[in-house]
Amino acid sequence: VSAPLTWIPWSNAAKAVRARGRIVQALQKLIDKERETLHHPIMMTTSAGEDGGGSAASSENEPTSLLTRLVSTEGFTDAEIIDNILTIIFGGSDTTASAATSIWMVLSKPENKVVRQGLQQYSNYALTDKFCKNILQAYPPAPLAIRQTKGPVAIGGDTI
């Protein structure tokens, strides 16, 4: 196993590191803008989308966007917010691609001809729903997720 050649400017690894840096800078600007909006409540609107941005709040001042929720939650550093957003953006594309691959693999098998024919009927939502749920159960796109807490957490009276 060799380390990525990030020190070679034209390598794919170096390009990826630079691209990630640009994404992080853009996300940091969005976080800063969101914090500014949260500190000046006059700028907030009463319904989603009226101001054309993603920082709208509901009439009860409940955050309506993921970014607003993350920024307004105590205990998240900017780096943690950025990491969570990157996980959602890029993790979502991997799991979607994995699920689509599993669906096409199952549908391509000759013994599933009847299923293919049933799914071609666009009005057969119940069959499509069952099929997708079965695929996700048989071939989970993200079979394992490991999380670590920052400290002890109480769940249902038990401390973890």
Side-chain angles (χ1 to χ4, degrees), residues 63-136:
T64 57
S65 74
L66 175 63
L67 182 60
T68 303
R69 287 179 187 272
L70 289 172
V71 169
S72 62
T73 301
E74 294 292 323
F76 281 126
T77 65
D78 287 1
E80 290 170 329
I81 292 171
I82 289 169
D83 284 343
N84 278 295
I85 292 171
L86 290 175
T87 298
I88 290 167
I89 292 170
F90 295 108
S93 64
D94 288 347
T95 53
T96 301
S98 176
T101 301
S102 298
I103 288 170
W104 291 117
M105 179 195 66
V106 170
L107 286 175
S108 68
K109 294 181 179 180
E111 63 266 22
N112 290 328
K113 181 179 180 181
V114 174
V115 175
R116 280 194 307 275
Q117 291 170 344
L119 291 174
Q120 288 174 348
Q121 300 171 5
Y122 294 112
S123 61
N124 198 342
Y125 174 77
L127 177 62
T128 304
D129 187 52
K130 280 183 182 179
F131 175 75
C132 289
K133 285 179 179 177
N134 285 334
I135 292 297
L136 292 173

Side-chain angles (χ1 to χ4, degrees), residues 1-82:
V1 177
S2 63
L5 302 175
T6 55
W7 53 274
I8 299 175
W10 58 86
S11 72
N12 287 337
K15 290 176 187 176
V17 168
R18 287 193 305 274
R20 186 185 191 284
R22 289 190 301 269
I23 292 170
V24 167
Q25 287 177 347
L27 289 172
Q28 186 63 58
K29 286 180 184 177
L30 289 171
I31 290 169
D32 293 343
K33 181 179 175 185
E34 192 64 37
R35 283 218 166 90
E36 181 68 25
T37 301
L38 289 172
H39 288 5
H40 294 90
I42 295 171
M43 295 173 61
M44 296 177 74
T45 62
T46 58
S47 65
E50 281 183 19
D51 66 348
S55 60
S58 69
S59 58
E60 299 87 26
N61 289 329
E62 275 292 317
T64 57
S65 74
L66 175 63
L67 182 60
T68 303
R69 287 179 187 272
L70 289 172
V71 169
S72 62
T73 301
E74 294 292 323
F76 281 126
T77 65
D78 287 1
E80 290 170 329
I81 292 171
I82 289 169

